[in-house]
Amino acid sequence: MNGAIILAAGKGERMGNMDKVFMKLGPYPVVAYSLLAFENCTNIDAIVIVTREDRIETTQTLVSSLSLSKIVSITTGGARRQDSVKNGLKNLPEGIDIAVVHDAARPLVTPELISLCIESAKEKGSGVAAKRVVDTIKECDENGLVVRTIDRNRLCAVETPQAFKAEILRDALDKVEIAGANITDDASAVEFSGKEVHLVEWQKPNLKLTHAEDQKILLALLND
Ligand code: CTP
Ligand code: MG
């Protein structure tokens, strides 16, 4: 059995504290696109939605209006993304083999990408959506002064979905909590725990709504 955790409990600070995942993008709110992709993925059995406390009711209404059948829980998130993942994980049913974590702010996710990540996790323990970077990446200091250029051939930009054997993710998040570490994605937790992270290369756009300017691009891509 495979379960998904859809993360929708952020503050949207980089969009001026806008609750971006509940903002309308075309006919639906941003989070709806991810929910539909996971609902329509035949390899997903159960979905937990993690939202802010003040959005639980809105989410329930959305789930009903989209006639989603795989939602097993709508739960509240925590202060940091990693706290929201932990709450989500706790609310997945017992007996989950693979846990897939996804940012609700990435509405371009497809059932195919979700399945690829799950297949990798089944075989190798993890499957994390990623792209080889196309820009030249430079390490710089706080004043914008370049410190060095990193070899592009060895750089990947990591996205979600991120799928893991459930016990690998659980153990990794526990280790991160005990160490008091701050992480920005689940692959970092798994790396921190000493386990391998395997990337799943995905060429299609899978942009995260982060800044206000991303809305127009996402809308164009959704209509494509
Ligand atoms: N998220 C969450 N709980 C948190 C923080 C983030 O569930 N405490 C979710 C967001 O809702 C989003 C995803 O994690 O779908 C990726 O996070 P990000 O893009 O950083 O969203 P925000 O944290 O909301 O944005 P910002 O960092 O600009 O405040
Ligand atoms: Mg954030």
Side-chain angles (χ1 to χ4, degrees):
M1 201 159 66
N2 305 322
I5 300 165
I6 307 295
L7 296 175
K11 291 204 187 89
E13 283 175 353
R14 285 168 288 181
M15 278 186 64
N17 292 316
M18 145 90 74
D19 195 359
K20 60 185 184 180
V21 295
F22 285 92
M23 199 189 74
K24 272 251 176 104
L25 201 64
Y28 301 120
V30 174
V31 59
Y33 296 95
S34 298
L35 293 176
L36 288 166
F38 278 82
E39 173 81 19
N40 294 329
C41 177
T42 50
N43 291 306
I44 289 289
D45 305 291
I47 302 171
V48 172
I49 313 174
V50 188
T51 71
R52 292 174 359 185
E53 188 137 34
D54 59 334
R55 286 298 192 184
I56 297 270
E57 259 186 61
T58 320
T59 308
Q60 273 160 351
T61 310
L62 180 68
V63 166
S64 307
S65 71
L66 294 173
S67 304
L68 302 175
S69 65
K70 296 182 181 172
I71 313 300
V72 293
S73 161
I74 301 170
T75 186
T76 51
R80 299 167 302 171
R81 186 184 178 283
Q82 67 205 73
D83 306 318
S84 295
V85 176
K86 264 214 132 172
N87 282 358
L89 203 51
K90 268 188 240 156
N91 282 280
L92 276 177
E94 266 181 44
I96 286 286
D97 303 305
I98 306 291
V100 189
V101 184
H102 182 65
D103 296 331
R106 291 186 192 273
L108 302 176
V109 63
T110 65
E112 186 195 356
L113 175 57
I114 299 163
S115 290
L116 288 171
C117 293
I118 290 174
E119 285 315 314
S120 170
K122 269 192 186 151
E123 201 185 312
K124 301 181 237 175
S126 55
V128 170
K131 282 184 176 55
R132 297 215 166 257
V133 301
V134 293
D135 297 317
T136 298
I137 308 285
K138 301 197 186 283
E139 185 183 331
C140 61
D141 70 11
E142 54 285 358
N143 300 316
L145 182 69
V146 170
V147 177
R148 68 190 175 111
T149 301
I150 305 162
D151 178 11
R152 188 168 64 192
N153 292 322
R154 295 176 62 88
L155 291 178
C156 282
V158 166
E159 305 171 341
T160 68
Q162 301 197 350
F164 307 95
K165 286 202 170 123
E167 70 266 20
I168 291 183
L169 181 59
R170 226 173 266 129
D171 174 64
L173 291 171
D174 285 346
K175 287 199 168 120
V176 161
E177 190 166 296
I178 290 163
N182 281 310
I183 48 159
T184 54
D185 76 339
D186 306 290
S188 303
V190 172
E191 285 169 68
F192 184 85
S193 75
K195 291 265 164 45
E196 285 179 358
V197 173
H198 293 272
L199 301 181
V200 172
E201 269 192 64
W202 183 249
Q203 291 312 325
K204 292 185 187 158
N206 184 18
L207 185 70
K208 180 161 68 72
L209 176 60
T210 305
H211 300 109
E213 294 74 18
D214 301 327
Q215 291 172 67
K216 270 192 187 162
I217 305 169
L218 280 169
L219 198 54
L221 290 166
L222 281 168
N223 289 329
D224 198 21

